[in-house]
Each structure stands twice: as C-alpha cells, then as structure tokens.
Amino acid sequence: MAYKVELSLLILVAACCLKMEPASAMYHVVGGSLGWSVPPNKTYFQDWAKKRVFGVEDKLLFPFRTSLHNVVEVGAGDFEGCTKENLINIYTKGPLIMNFTQPGDHYYYSGVGLQCESGLKLHVTVVPGKGSSGRVFTRVGSITSVPAPAPAPTLSTVAAAAATANPILGWGMAMALMVWIFL
C-alpha cells in the first residue's frame, strides 16, 4: 500500500514538473516594497531600475490599485515632460503585468494628477537574453568589486521563494519537497 502511495506521489510530482514554466523569465516587482505609488523622491524608480537587468521574456509587475494610479506607456519624448502626445497605451486596471517580447527602451509613468511630476515614472532598457535583479557590479580601477555571497538558503526559504515566484512553479516545488521529505 505504501509503495502505491509513494509511486502515485512520484508520478504527480513528475507531471507537475512537466507543466512548469521555464525559469528563464524574471518577475520584476516595480518599486520593490513601495510598489507603484508616489515615491519619496523623484529618482526613486530610476534608482530601483539601475540595480536590475531587464531581459526579453521578463515580466514587469506594477502593483497598484485601480483608480488610485495607472500606467501610461509613452515614448522618450513624452516621458521627460510627462506628456501624452505620442501615447502608446494607458493601463487603468491594476495590478498590471507587462511582458517584454523584444529588446529596447520602455517608458512608463502614472497619468493620475501630478504623480508623474512627483517621480512616479520608470524607464527600463530591455536587453536580449536573460534578466537579473540585485546589486550592480562596480569596477574600481582594474579590480571588480563583487558583493559578498548571501548565506546558504534553508529548505523553508527555498520553498517560500519558489511559492512566491510563480504559483505553478511554487506548487511543483512544494510537491517535490513533500516527496523528498516522505521518501
């Protein structure tokens, strides 16, 4: 009987693994813990973006409440002046997930009131290949400064990170961990 349960769980985990999305795409939550809201200073979102590399297939998550904010997508000319002369799109329902399908520059701001003028605006450059998030490596003379490695993750932090990254991936990881624990 126990053999059948273990085999069933193993087949279930294998099926879940086949259904998972590839892990090559990154989800970037705009503004981190602040989200898409009026920032404490005008350079907040540009400073946030400098620490990241946005790649093709990455997703940009704008966490905002409908009616409090929106996301206006414009070209470079409209971005600086917070104008809508060459408007690309307006997204009014939040939260919003933007999928990057090709490299290039993307410009976003909030078109509600004077939020754009207050710094609620973001310019990202999407590069071919994979994206990343975290600290930027800086070069000092001929020596490259690299941040200290993070401590090794525990089993619970890995499961928690997987669960928040992607619901399907998180569920698959949780099932794999259950099988690993019970076998």
Side-chain angles (χ1 to χ4, degrees):
M1 175 72 173
Y3 174 73
K4 288 182 181 180
V5 171
E6 289 175 1
L7 184 59
S8 297
L9 284 174
L10 184 60
I11 291 171
L12 179 64
V13 168
C16 290
C17 290
L18 291 174
K19 292 285 187 181
M20 290 188 289
E21 285 184 23
S24 63
M26 298 252 347
Y27 283 83
H28 302 274
V29 180
V30 176
S33 61
L34 178 67
W36 186 244
S37 59
V38 178
N41 60 58
K42 290 186 177 188
T43 63
Y44 180 85
F45 288 100
Q46 290 316 116
D47 295 340
W48 173 85
K50 283 180 190 175
K51 301 173 188 169
R52 287 154 181 76
V53 175
F54 302 93
V56 172
E57 296 182 15
D58 282 2
K59 293 165 181 29
L60 196 59
L61 170 63
F62 289 87
F64 69 93
R65 294 179 108 193
T66 301
S67 78
L68 292 180
H69 307 287
N70 63 22
V71 177
V72 178
E73 187 175 4
V74 295
D78 288 328
F79 179 75
E80 288 303 319
C82 298
T83 60
K84 299 176 187 168
E85 293 176 20
N86 295 307
L87 180 70
I88 296 172
N89 211 336
I90 296 179
Y91 305 94
T92 58
K93 294 186 180 186
L96 170 69
I97 298 176
M98 301 292 293
N99 298 314
F100 295 130
T101 57
Q102 56 186 336
D105 291 314
H106 299 268
Y107 300 90
Y108 308 99
Y109 67 75
S110 175
V112 175
L114 296 175
Q115 292 179 354
C116 177
E117 290 83 350
S118 299
L120 190 47
K121 57 198 293 184
L122 175 66
H123 165 229
V124 298
T125 301
V126 177
V127 298
K130 294 182 180 182
S132 67
S133 62
R135 298 182 65 180
V136 175
F137 298 123
T138 56
R139 190 168 175 87
V140 180
S142 63
I143 301 172
T144 301
S145 169
V146 179
T154 64
L155 190 58
S156 62
T157 58
V158 170
T164 59
N166 181 330
I168 295 172
L169 177 62
W171 190 76
M173 289 296 289
M175 291 303 296
L177 286 173
M178 272 188 6
V179 169
W180 180 72
I181 289 170
F182 291 113
L183 291 179

